[in-house]
Amino acid sequence: MTSPLPVSERLGSHIKRAEQALNAAKLAAVKPAGLTVAQYAALLHLDEKPGISAAALARLCGVTPPTMNTILKNLQERGLIDRTPHEWHRNVLEITFTDEGRTVMKAADRRAVRVERALADAFTDDERATLADLLDRCVTLLDETRD
């Protein structure tokens, strides 16, 4: 039986291939710093929002809270982050960088930024804006479809 929509015409296949290629390039970039892409993403968001909770970090990184707890446990065991009880909410652990964690994050980010810049440089300003808009439309539509 022939599929009613060939794989070559399925946008999801193209988006998935792009995501896989980006993840592979990012892994190659952050691996010398001893990080996975998921660990790097967590540190990147932590750098932007010091003291963030694990639940909020999980939402930003697009992973489940149990997955984020595993990521954070591994980062903490490596001495890259600290998790301490929040001053007012004792059941919430605030996440902060250690000095080594900040050094590792900066080293990984320098390499990851090269990937992002190379990707951005492949498009004109208008094309980048259009691509971002189109991907945002995909996300919006897919979120609505799921609900």
Side-chain angles (χ1 to χ4, degrees), residues 4-122:
L5 185 62
V7 173
S8 62
E9 294 178 23
R10 295 178 187 222
L11 292 179
S13 294
H14 295 283
I15 292 168
K16 183 65 176 176
R17 285 183 42 229
E19 177 193 29
Q20 288 172 328
L22 177 60
N23 280 336
K26 285 271 180 93
L27 179 58
V30 302
K31 192 173 184 177
L35 297 175
T36 66
V37 174
Q39 290 170 336
Y40 166 72
L43 293 176
L44 185 64
H45 287 292
L46 176 61
D47 190 45
E48 209 170 74
K49 299 177 186 294
I52 191 170
S53 70
L57 200 51
R59 284 189 295 276
L60 287 172
C61 292
V63 299
T64 64
T67 298
M68 182 52 65
N69 280 326
T70 300
I71 292 167
L72 294 174
K73 179 179 172 254
N74 291 334
L75 291 171
Q76 188 172 16
E77 286 175 356
R78 282 194 52 205
L80 303 181
I81 62 166
D82 285 322
R83 293 171 23 161
T84 55
H86 188 277
E87 185 177 348
W88 302 300
H89 307 286
R90 288 299 195 201
N91 58 339
V92 173
L93 295 177
E94 286 187 300
I95 307 160
T96 55
F97 279 105
T98 62
D99 289 342
E100 182 182 353
R102 188 162 301 286
T103 299
V104 167
M105 164 56 190
K106 286 181 180 180
D109 196 44
R110 277 191 299 275
R111 294 175 57 94
V113 164
R114 286 187 220 140
V115 172
E116 291 286 350
R117 284 199 175 123
L119 184 58
D121 289 347

